[in-house]
């Protein structure tokens, strides 16, 4: 056989590359692309719209009103516990019938989920009515009591819609790797809500009409999702004989949900009870900024659980390890980049964003630092947590969730009584240190059947790089970020400088064969 000459080799490589350009993406890769893209666009839109309303509300109605709206939202989030884990258990149960094309099995699980959602919705409404009576008593004379009671009812409308209208569609689309459809519906609702709220506030409407209009806007998601699901899924029947045994793990999921509610939704509740609505407003502004960071990171992780679930159902542990390893590497790199940028840019941004908000002290560098640390700890556990949920290990890990919530609640109350509302994020750091390390070890040993050493090594490498790089950037202080224009320019310069390892990792994985295939 004759050896190819250099010119012929080059021509051969060129022809192969040209052929590769015309090879269409597999359905699996398309779903990954749609999921990530849909989530990314949603989170960007949500972040932008989220920054528009708070300063408008604070400057128009004052910090106490903004604190009231935020704290009521957190109280209502607690009431969502009546969902009782049905959503998570139903999603896990749907992986197999969807993979097997079992229409009857799918409908039976959805019928059971729909029935539970309706029952939970009735209980949710009863609890909202009770909250409308109790909440005004808790806030004392900081805001008008009648206004506070009506605000509870208005904000409760959206939660009720989730139970009676949207929950069953969300379960089906999430399990079937169609999270991007939910993202599209949510994105348009967020945009419409922001536009309506800005217009009504500019027209001089009160906070109650503004929030009532927002609740009506969010109900529009039901129309979109119901039309899509009815058209996409044939022989869909929510009145099939319910398979309640398939979602028997809902009680175990409930334990996890209670733990998550205590950890993630207790801050504003504790601040409202032990501090003031002004303190709640300050905390909310910082939480909003870092929520935007988490939302953007979430665009890279939302929807991956269903891919892990399908792989585990097919008992392909080696493929699961490949998918998880590459996803974890890229996600850890993204966490490092996003939170390094947040660490560098947060205080210059807050000085610009809170200009004119003079009825409370919004410049709190200690609060910003604690948000950075807690955000990193929370996000690096996400890959392992998704793997645990995909495997359906709700019962095996429920005591871990209980332990985290107990640590968080005890530390939150104790620290807040001694240090003020800064004690809340400090307590979050304490509980996250335990749960994050535990999730990394459990997912590695119990599901992937590995030691977990690689995961901790990734954290160490990325942590050292981004910490050193961000400290050097702050020490250099290339130019002042004293206007939005300079702030954006600085963000672009610093972001580009810090993104070098991300590009390196992306190129490295691009050269390898992607395990996510048809």
């Amino acid at each position: 056989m004759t050896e190819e000459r250099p010119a012929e080799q080059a021509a051969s490589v060129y022809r192969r590359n040209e052929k590769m350009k015309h090879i269409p993406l597999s359905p699996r890769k398309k779903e990954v692309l749609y999921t990530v893209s849909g989530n990314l666009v949603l989170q960007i839109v949500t972040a932008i719209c989220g920054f528009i309303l708070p300063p408008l509300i604070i400057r128009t109605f004052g910090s106490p009103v903004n604190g009231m709206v935020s704290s009521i939202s957190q109280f209502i989030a607690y009431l969502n516990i009546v969902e009782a884990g049905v959503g998570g258990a139903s999603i896990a149960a749907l992986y197999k019938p969807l993979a097997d094309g079992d229409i009857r099995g799918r409908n039976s699980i959805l019928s059971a989920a729909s029935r539970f959602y309706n029952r939970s919705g009735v209980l949710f409404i009863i609890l909202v009515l009770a909250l409308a009576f109790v909440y005004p008593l808790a806030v004392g004379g900081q805001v008008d009591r009648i206004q506070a009671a009506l605000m509870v009812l208005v904000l409760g409308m959206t939660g009720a819609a989730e139970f009676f209208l949207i929950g069953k569609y969300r379960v089906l689309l999430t399990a079937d790797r169609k999270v991007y459809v939910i993202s599209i519906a949510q994105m348009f609702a967020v945009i419409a809500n922001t536009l309506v709220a800005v217009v009504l506030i500019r027209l001089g409407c009160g906070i109650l009409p503004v929030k009532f209009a927002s609740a009506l806007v969010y109900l529009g998601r039901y129309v979109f999702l119901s039309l899509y699901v009815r058209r996409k899924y044939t022989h869909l029947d929510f009145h099939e004989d319910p398979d309640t045994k398939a979602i028997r793990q809902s009680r175990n999921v409930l334990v996890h949900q209670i733990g998550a509610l205590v950890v993630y939704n207790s801050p504003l509740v504790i601040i409202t009870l032990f501090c003031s609505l002004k303190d709640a407003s300050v905390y909310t502004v910082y939480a909003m900024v870092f929520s935007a960071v988490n939302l953007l990171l979430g665009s890279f992780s939302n929807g991956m659980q269903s891919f892990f679930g399908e792989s585990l159902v097919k008992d392909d542990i080696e493929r699961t390890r490949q998918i998880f390893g590459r996803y974890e590497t890229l996600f850890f790199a993204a966490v490092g980049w996003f939170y390094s940028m947040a660490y560098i840019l947060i205080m210059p941004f807050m000085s610009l964003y809170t200009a004119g908000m003079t009825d409370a002290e919004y410049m709190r560098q200690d609060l910003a630092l604690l948000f950075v640390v807690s955000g990193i700890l929370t996000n690096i556990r996400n890959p392992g947590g998704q793997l645990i949920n995909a495997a359906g290990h709700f019962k095996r890990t429920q005591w871990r969730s209980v332990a985290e919530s107990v640590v968080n609640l005890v530390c939150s109350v104790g620290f807040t009584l001694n240090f003020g509302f800064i004690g809340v994020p400090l307590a979050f750091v304490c509980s996250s240190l335990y749960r994050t390390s535990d999730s990394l070890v459990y997912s590695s040993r119990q599901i992937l059947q590995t030691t977990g050493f690689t995961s901790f090594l990734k954290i160490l490498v990325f942590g050292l790089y981004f910490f050193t790089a961000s400290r050097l950037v702050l020490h250099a202080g290339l130019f002042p970020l004293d206007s939005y224009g300079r702030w954006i320019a600085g963000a672009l310069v610093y972001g580009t400088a810090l993104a070098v390892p991300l590009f390196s990792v992306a190129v490295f994985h691009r050269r390898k064969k992607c395990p996510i295939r048809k």
Side-chain angles (χ1 to χ4, degrees):
M1 184 174 180
T2 60
E3 187 176 314
E4 281 188 316
R5 297 174 181 175
E8 293 173 342
Q9 291 177 343
S12 177
V13 171
Y14 175 79
R15 287 193 296 271
R16 286 198 302 269
N17 290 339
E18 286 298 308
K19 289 180 180 179
M20 289 296 293
K21 292 180 181 179
H22 300 289
I23 296 177
L25 290 173
S26 68
R28 184 59 41 78
K29 290 182 180 180
K30 284 184 178 179
E31 288 175 345
V32 174
L33 179 62
Y34 292 159
T35 297
V36 173
S37 300
N39 278 310
L40 181 60
V41 174
L42 170 62
Q43 310 314 344
I44 291 174
V45 169
T46 303
I48 294 174
C49 293
F51 285 118
I52 294 174
L53 288 181
L56 194 58
I57 292 175
I58 292 172
R59 294 188 182 106
T60 305
F61 305 109
S63 292
V65 170
N66 183 59
M68 175 189 69
V69 173
S70 300
S71 63
I72 290 175
S73 298
Q74 296 304 306
F75 276 106
I76 290 177
Y78 267 106
L79 302 187
N80 283 320
I81 200 64
V82 299
E83 190 254 3
V86 172
S90 301
I91 291 170
L94 280 170
Y95 290 142
K96 184 171 177 55
L98 287 172
D100 296 341
D102 181 3
I103 294 177
R104 184 173 182 180
R106 177 200 68 188
N107 288 344
S108 295
I109 294 171
L110 289 174
S111 178
S114 179
R115 177 179 294 186
F116 277 112
Y117 270 125
N118 289 337
R119 291 177 180 175
S120 300
V122 173
L123 181 57
F124 176 82
I125 291 176
I126 294 173
L127 292 177
V128 167
L129 293 174
L131 180 63
F133 175 77
V134 174
Y135 181 82
L137 302 178
V139 296
Q142 299 181 69
V143 292
D144 181 75
R145 292 186 175 183
I146 295 178
Q147 183 186 54
L150 293 176
M151 183 62 69
V152 172
L153 298 178
V154 168
L155 295 180
M157 288 176 55
T158 304
E162 290 288 334
F163 284 104
F164 290 106
L165 303 176
I166 299 174
K168 54 190 177 184
Y169 298 125
R170 185 188 300 277
V171 163
L172 174 59
L173 293 171
T174 301
D176 200 26
R177 305 184 304 275
K178 299 287 190 301
V179 177
Y180 58 88
V181 177
I182 302 173
S183 298
I184 292 172
Q186 183 70 10
M187 179 182 65
F188 283 109
V190 168
I191 294 173
N193 166 63
T194 303
L195 292 174
V196 169
V198 169
V199 170
L200 291 179
I201 291 175
R202 294 297 187 190
L203 291 175
C205 295
I207 189 65
L208 279 172
V210 170
K211 289 301 177 180
F212 181 75
S214 297
L216 294 179
V217 167
Y218 276 116
L219 291 179
R221 291 176 299 160
Y222 165 71
V223 178
F224 176 85
L225 292 177
S226 62
L227 290 176
Y228 177 87
V229 168
R230 296 289 181 179
R231 183 176 180 180
K232 180 69 177 179
Y233 297 91
T234 57
H235 309 294
L236 188 66
D237 184 9
F238 290 102
H239 302 288
E240 182 76 52
D241 291 336
D243 184 3
T244 56
K245 293 182 180 180
I247 56 177
R248 60 183 179 275
Q249 286 205 82
S250 61
R251 293 182 180 179
N252 307 122
V253 178
L254 173 61
V255 175
H256 287 270
Q257 290 183 337
I258 293 174
L261 278 172
V262 171
V263 174
Y264 295 105
N265 297 102
S266 63
L268 280 177
V269 173
I270 291 174
I271 293 172
T272 300
L273 295 176
F274 294 102
C275 300
S276 69
L277 290 179
K278 286 187 177 182
D279 290 332
S281 181
V282 173
Y283 183 91
T284 299
V285 171
Y286 280 86
M288 175 198 64
V289 174
F290 286 95
S291 175
V293 177
N294 291 329
L295 287 174
L296 291 173
L297 274 170
S299 65
F300 298 100
S301 61
N302 292 340
M304 288 301 298
Q305 179 180 320
S306 59
F307 291 98
F308 295 147
E310 183 188 38
S311 182
L312 290 170
V313 164
K314 293 179 179 179
D315 200 24
D316 192 348
I317 189 64
E318 185 57 37
R319 181 165 174 265
T320 304
R321 288 194 192 110
Q322 291 177 350
I323 297 174
F324 182 82
R326 296 180 182 183
Y327 162 64
E328 183 186 57
T329 302
L330 295 174
F331 189 73
F332 283 174
V335 171
W337 185 84
F338 273 103
Y339 273 93
S340 295
M341 293 294 292
Y343 176 63
I344 294 167
L345 300 170
I346 177 62
M347 294 313 297
F349 175 79
M350 293 303 294
S351 65
L352 298 170
Y353 186 72
T354 61
M357 302 181 190
T358 58
D359 59 347
E361 178 55 54
Y362 284 92
M363 295 301 294
R364 295 291 301 264
Q365 191 166 4
D366 53 348
L367 184 60
L369 180 60
L370 286 173
F371 265 107
V372 169
V373 175
S374 61
I376 293 172
L377 290 172
T378 300
N379 280 284
I380 59 178
R381 84 165 90 156
N382 276 353
Q386 288 179 310
L387 193 63
I388 292 170
N389 292 340
H393 287 199
F394 301 113
K395 185 175 182 179
R396 299 183 190 181
T397 58
Q398 62 184 5
W399 69 267
R400 293 169 162 85
S401 179
V402 172
E404 179 191 22
S405 60
V406 170
V407 171
N408 181 274
L409 189 59
V410 171
C411 291
S412 292
V413 175
F415 291 165
T416 301
L417 291 175
N418 287 279
F419 309 120
F421 78 96
I422 198 69
V424 170
L426 183 60
F428 191 94
V429 170
C430 294
S431 61
S432 294
L433 279 171
Y434 154 70
R435 190 63 193 282
T436 296
S437 57
D438 179 76
S439 296
L440 288 169
V441 172
Y442 183 92
S443 60
S444 298
R445 294 183 178 179
Q446 302 298 323
I447 301 176
L448 296 178
Q449 299 170 19
T450 61
T451 62
F453 172 78
T454 303
S455 296
F456 285 100
L457 182 61
K458 293 173 187 177
I459 294 171
L460 178 62
V461 171
F462 283 122
L464 287 175
Y465 170 80
F466 283 111
F467 176 76
T468 303
S470 58
R471 290 299 300 173
L472 289 174
V473 167
L474 282 175
H475 181 72
L478 298 179
F479 47 87
L481 307 179
D482 53 3
S483 69
Y484 280 113
R486 291 183 177 181
W487 189 90
I488 293 173
L492 293 174
V493 172
Y494 297 147
T496 302
L498 291 173
V500 173
L502 290 184
F503 287 116
S504 301
V505 171
V507 170
F508 173 77
H509 285 286
R510 182 67 181 87
R511 290 177 178 175
K512 291 199 169 191
K513 186 175 181 181
C514 181
I516 303 177
R517 58 185 182 273
K518 185 176 179 180

